[in-house]
Amino acid sequence: MRNTIYSILLMFFVLSSVSAQFKTIEKKEGNSDGVEIKPLFVPTEQSIDPAKQIPLTVDPMDLQDFVHATTNIYATHFDKEGRAVFFKGHLKEQIGKTIEEQIDIYLQALNRYFNLDQLQDQYQFIRSEEDKLGMIHIDIQQTFQGIPVDGGYLKLHVKDGLIHRANGRFLDTPHIDQVIPSLSASEIKAVVIGDFQKKGIYKRVEGADLKFMPHETYHAELLIHRKDGQDYLVYKVDAFANMIQRFVYLVDAHTGIIIDQYKNYCSLHGEDHDHADHGAMPPPDGPATANALDLMNINRTINTYESNGTFYLIDAARKRIPTADNPSDNLFDDTNSNMPNEPVGVIWTIDAFNTNPQNNDFNYDHVTSSNNTWNDKIAVSAHYNGGVAYEYFKNTHQRNSINGESGNIISLINISDPETGGGFDNAFWNGAAMFYGNGNTAFDPLAEALDVAGHEMSHGVVQATANLTYQGESGALNESFADIFGVMMDSEDWYLGEDVAKTSVFPTGRLRDMSDPHNGGNQLGDPGWQPKNTSEQYTGSQDNGGVHINSGIVNHAYYLFATHADVGIAKAEQIYYRALTTYLSASSKFIDLRASVEQSAEDLYGMAEKNAASMAFEAVGIGGGGNTTDYETDVEMNPGADFLLHSDAPFSNLFIRDNDLNFVANPLSQIDVRSKPSVTDNGSNIFFVGTDNNIYNIAIDWEAGQFGINTFDDQGIWRNVAISKDGSRIA
């Protein structure tokens, strides 16, 4: 069967209308070096033999086997180190197998790119999820002797019952002797807390403060970590030094030496307090609305909450997307809420009274009103922006709150500088809540800017989905997605922070500019300057390896993509959200984003949008120049019906079949074939060279169901022939 497979000539084509894209060629008789060049054949009604009706017959021969046998799995994108990161195709062996069986088959096929020893013992299934397109996405973690390998993560994608795509990376088989740690988890915790104390930033988070924190404030996981070519058994610790400052530590599990560390929280511009017990409250009066001016002096409608005659800046009136598990459409969970101090499913604004969570005098309480009148513009802005962020993700991406699980959206305003106690030029997302400074030398009160709020809260979405590591290119992707969603919420321009940035520090009046990341500057260090091409990429260690700096490259790619005539903002934000939630993982880099956006564009829309994505990333140097990808540009598919043109094994006949492999023309030609046939876009003309070295033309009238065969050139000197898509040129 294999010899038959490789000897059959295959040509897939699509019937569609032909639009001339070339100038009409001059049809001249001529002679050059003794070769006669004949005019291009233009079929006429007289050239079609009316007796040759195309028979619509069905042959019992099943071509399914050889169609699937021609499949393969191949890499389409490679990172800067030459490691394959995106794969397409499938194998015949997968057909008829369960997904679990296919995983083994697929990963064994991919191992030629990974070169792992005993692959079947070096990975484990993590989770699977079906998306709105009906595709199933499977997460696979690389392991070594049962220990996860840091950065070794793959996503497999199933369509129509077959794994047909994969992305991510497995690292080479680790070289490590002892995978049983010498130190306990508690000993490692002491190492981390000791380092916090050396830095002078440790303040234990407990009691009522925990409501503003993620569920875990300390998490340690045993991993195999590779640094500078050396493999280590480490504890990867994700821990808070205080309510705001969150770090990742990689600590050698045998020696307790800190191998690496980096901050794991976003700042926009690069003794525990005993809270009063409010006591049991009488039954709440419920949601209310009010109108109030924000920091931009715009009258905003905000949702408040009345309890026992006092109004709170608690929005318990939002609607969420009902699911089978939770059919209610109300975000607010009144059953599990203890109002107003322990609400569930709300947007909640809290006053920190010009204190900072890093200090022992940190203090906070509700923002309240006795008559539902609100004169605090900072509070109104923060509360309103939290609602906009919620509605953006719900309405645009069908996401239930920031964490995807109807979680609270909390904003703490009036955060002071941790050292001076005065104005604070920053805003933070700590994994569970927003913290707004009121500005100082560089910014006005940061609660004013919707895109700043959107940026910080979007870090929560990134955290709950791909969880991009906040370091290097992965961290720059993390920052870029926060910028993208923030700018999409405030979609009047392509700037970030333009409503709060002071021109005395930022001459352009904006913190960042996605349309031109140089933002009026000339080089790194100029206020607001970012690179907009990988040729300018920062490669140092500052800023967690350039997470805020290099995000400009990715931001500009998004701008170019979203402003492309075939795309637009509405498509672009859907494509990027799918790339984030479906294809990217913690260790993804710039090239992974390109592959993921291209594939998401194809998944949701088509080849025009995919090609626009390729152009955008090429323009900023991601995947360009053959350095980072072995990329094949797909030609956009023509509309129309698909057909298969093929020969038999001895090349003595040509046939046409439909998509179900039923015969449409049986046979189409009985002339022995020498070259692969060439077909025009609309399927009306087929050219090929026969074994007598003459050129033959088959002209098809699809409407009439007729075809005719003609000798186009009988000089007997040809080996191959090709016709242009529009039928105007021949080679």
Side-chain angles (χ1 to χ4, degrees):
M1 183 62 185
R2 184 174 296 276
N3 291 335
T4 303
I5 292 168
Y6 292 142
S7 64
I8 291 178
L9 295 169
L10 291 173
M11 172 67 74
F12 291 92
F13 63 95
V14 180
L15 292 184
S16 68
S17 60
V18 175
S19 57
Q21 301 176 16
F22 307 95
K23 293 181 180 178
T24 305
I25 63 171
E26 296 183 13
K27 301 173 183 176
K28 296 181 179 179
E29 300 269 354
N31 195 303
S32 176
D33 298 328
V35 178
E36 181 182 2
I37 306 299
K38 293 195 172 185
L40 184 65
F41 173 77
V42 180
T44 64
E45 292 184 4
Q46 288 75 22
S47 67
I48 299 175
D49 183 356
K52 288 248 181 175
Q53 297 290 333
I54 299 179
L56 299 176
T57 61
V58 178
D59 189 284
M61 174 184 178
D62 185 7
L63 295 185
Q64 198 71 26
D65 282 343
F66 82 76
V67 170
H68 281 295
T70 61
T71 62
N72 192 18
I73 298 173
Y74 57 97
T76 62
H77 295 72
F78 294 78
D79 64 19
K80 294 175 182 177
E81 290 73 42
R83 189 181 301 276
V85 297
F86 209 95
F87 313 88
K88 290 186 177 181
H90 66 273
L91 298 175
K92 176 184 176 183
E93 289 79 9
Q94 293 174 236
I95 300 169
K97 299 290 196 303
T98 66
I99 299 301
E100 289 76 13
E101 292 169 329
Q102 289 186 53
I103 290 175
D104 290 333
I105 295 170
Y106 210 90
L107 293 183
Q108 288 293 345
L110 290 183
N111 198 32
R112 65 190 177 102
Y113 296 103
F114 304 142
N115 195 29
L116 296 177
D117 302 330
Q118 298 179 334
L119 175 66
Q120 65 272 20
D121 298 326
Q122 296 197 44
Y123 66 88
Q124 62 184 21
F125 169 83
I126 301 299
R127 69 179 67 86
S128 67
E129 183 178 5
E130 183 173 352
D131 68 20
K132 62 183 180 181
L133 302 181
M135 294 174 59
I136 298 173
H137 309 281
I138 303 167
D139 288 16
I140 302 293
Q141 171 69 60
Q142 181 185 358
T143 61
F144 177 73
Q145 296 187 28
I147 307 297
V149 176
D150 196 17
Y153 208 85
L154 276 175
K155 288 177 174 281
L156 307 179
H157 309 280
V158 180
K159 185 176 182 180
D160 299 329
L162 284 178
I163 300 174
H164 72 299
R165 191 176 301 137
N167 68 285
R169 51 179 58 73
F170 273 3
L171 307 184
D172 298 339
T173 299
H175 297 285
I176 195 165
D177 296 328
Q178 179 59 267
V179 295
I180 299 176
S182 303
L183 300 176
S184 67
S186 60
E187 289 173 309
I188 296 297
K189 185 173 184 178
V191 170
V192 172
I193 293 177
D195 196 64
F196 286 157
Q197 291 171 333
K198 287 179 183 178
K199 291 183 170 74
I201 60 174
Y202 183 63
K203 179 177 180 290
R204 184 178 178 182
V205 183
E206 59 184 354
D209 292 353
L210 290 171
K211 67 167 66 74
F212 308 125
M213 304 295 292
H215 295 303
E216 285 187 303
T217 58
Y218 182 93
H219 176 77
E221 180 183 10
L222 196 63
L223 298 173
I224 306 293
H225 177 72
R226 179 168 297 162
K227 183 177 182 180
D228 300 328
Q230 178 69 39
D231 293 319
Y232 299 89
L233 180 70
V234 303
Y235 282 98
K236 185 175 184 179
V237 178
D238 186 347
F240 283 84
N242 48 66
M243 282 184 66
I244 288 181
Q245 293 176 294
R246 181 180 185 180
F247 291 82
V248 169
Y249 281 79
L250 297 165
V251 185
D252 192 305
H254 297 302
T255 67
I257 295 173
I258 298 173
I259 303 298
D260 199 3
Q261 61 175 295
Y262 53 89
K263 76 172 190 175
N264 195 26
Y265 62 98
C266 171
S267 54
L268 181 69
H269 193 44
E271 148 192 65
D272 300 326
H273 186 72
D274 183 16
H275 296 282
D277 183 0
H278 291 267
M281 301 293 292
D285 297 323
T289 60
N291 292 302
L293 292 177
D294 68 1
L295 285 165
M296 301 179 72
N297 288 317
I298 297 175
N299 195 35
R300 303 294 193 186
T301 299
I302 56 175
N303 292 320
T304 62
Y305 196 91
E306 183 181 8
S307 179
N308 196 30
T310 298
F311 293 87
Y312 297 83
L313 276 189
I314 298 176
D315 179 347
R318 299 284 170 174
K319 301 297 182 181
R320 65 179 166 196
I321 305 160
T323 64
D325 294 333
N326 196 338
S328 170
D329 66 349
N330 188 16
L331 176 66
F332 176 52
D333 185 351
D334 56 352
T335 301
N336 293 304
S337 293
N338 178 20
M339 300 298 289
N341 297 328
E342 297 176 353
V344 179
V346 300
I347 299 167
W348 186 9
T349 302
I350 297 168
D351 192 349
F353 304 112
N354 294 309
T355 62
N356 190 287
Q358 297 174 229
N359 299 330
N360 290 331
D361 64 349
F362 181 52
N363 185 24
Y364 58 85
D365 207 338
H366 291 287
V367 182
T368 63
S369 168
S370 61
N371 58 4
N372 208 21
T373 299
W374 307 90
N375 298 317
D376 186 340
K377 294 182 178 181
I378 293 174
V380 171
S381 292
H383 200 60
Y384 175 79
N385 289 341
V388 173
Y390 174 79
E391 292 298 327
Y392 171 78
F393 282 109
K394 180 175 81 77
N395 296 330
T396 304
H397 301 299
Q398 293 74 57
R399 184 175 186 82
N400 277 323
S401 195
I402 300 303
N403 66 355
E405 299 176 352
S406 304
N408 290 338
I409 297 177
I410 304 173
S411 300
L412 286 93
I413 59 172
N414 299 318
I415 301 295
S416 68
D417 186 281
E419 296 180 1
T420 68
F424 189 36
D425 269 332
N426 231 322
F428 295 89
W429 170 263
N430 77 338
M434 272 292 303
F435 297 78
Y436 291 102
N438 288 335
N440 189 8
T441 59
F443 298 103
D444 294 326
L446 286 145
E448 177 178 348
L450 173 59
D451 50 15
V452 169
H455 170 100
E456 298 300 342
M457 294 181 195
S458 293
H459 278 297
V461 176
V462 176
Q463 172 186 310
T465 54
N467 196 24
L468 291 157
T469 300
Y470 203 66
Q471 187 180 43
E473 287 192 4
S474 300
L477 294 183
N478 195 321
E479 277 296 316
S480 179
F481 273 103
D483 277 354
I484 288 167
F485 293 137
V487 169
M488 291 298 92
M489 293 179 204
D490 182 18
S491 59
E492 295 179 353
D493 51 53
W494 292 99
Y495 311 142
L496 191 83
E498 73 280 4
D499 294 322
V500 294
K502 294 183 177 180
T503 55
S504 58
V505 175
F506 300 98
T508 61
R510 46 189 177 264
L511 174 63
R512 291 195 275 276
D513 182 350
M514 297 178 71
S515 64
D516 180 11
H518 288 173
N519 196 17
N522 297 307
Q523 60 189 352
L524 182 64
D526 290 347
W529 185 93
Q530 291 180 296
K532 63 179 179 181
N533 190 285
T534 55
S535 62
E536 304 169 325
Q537 186 169 346
Y538 173 73
T539 57
S541 60
Q542 296 181 17
D543 184 36
N544 266 27
V547 297
H548 291 93
I549 299 169
N550 291 326
S551 62
I553 299 169
V554 190
N555 284 352
H556 195 52
Y558 180 80
Y559 164 78
L560 295 173
F561 179 56
T563 56
H564 191 282
D566 289 332
V567 184
I569 287 174
K571 289 182 181 178
E573 59 189 352
Q574 293 294 334
I575 290 167
Y576 266 66
Y577 182 79
R578 179 173 177 82
L580 173 69
T581 57
T582 302
Y583 291 105
L584 295 179
S585 58
S587 60
S588 294
K589 296 179 174 58
F590 286 177
I591 188 60
D592 300 275
L593 177 67
R594 173 174 176 163
S596 299
V597 169
E598 287 171 346
Q599 190 58 58
S600 296
E602 184 178 350
D603 290 346
L604 292 175
Y605 301 105
M607 296 307 299
E609 291 79 4
K610 178 182 179 181
N611 291 337
S614 302
M615 292 171 59
F617 284 104
E618 195 79 22
V620 301
I622 297 176
N627 295 323
T628 59
T629 179
D630 179 19
Y631 179 73
E632 298 177 359
T633 301
D634 294 318
V635 177
E636 185 175 352
M637 185 74 73
N638 289 308
D642 296 316
F643 292 88
L644 172 69
L645 173 66
H646 70 93
S647 74
D648 54 13
F651 306 132
S652 57
N653 295 281
L654 289 176
F655 307 89
I656 295 179
R657 296 180 185 247
D658 62 19
N659 248 345
D660 296 324
L661 301 180
N662 298 318
F663 278 115
V664 174
N666 180 20
L668 179 68
S669 165
Q670 294 178 302
I671 298 172
D672 291 347
V673 181
R674 181 173 176 81
S675 74
K676 183 178 179 179
S678 178
V679 189
T680 56
D681 239 9
N682 62 0
S684 63
N685 276 283
I686 301 171
F687 283 79
F688 66 94
V689 174
T691 54
D692 56 5
N693 298 325
N694 292 327
I695 298 175
Y696 292 92
N697 165 250
I698 304 174
I700 303 177
D701 185 336
W702 290 91
E703 291 186 4
Q706 301 172 347
F707 65 88
I709 303 175
N710 304 272
T711 302
F712 179 76
D713 191 293
D714 60 2
Q715 296 179 80
I717 59 173
W718 306 111
R719 178 60 184 86
N720 206 351
V721 62
I723 183 73
S724 66
K725 291 174 67 176
D726 67 352
S728 66
R729 299 181 180 186
I730 196 169

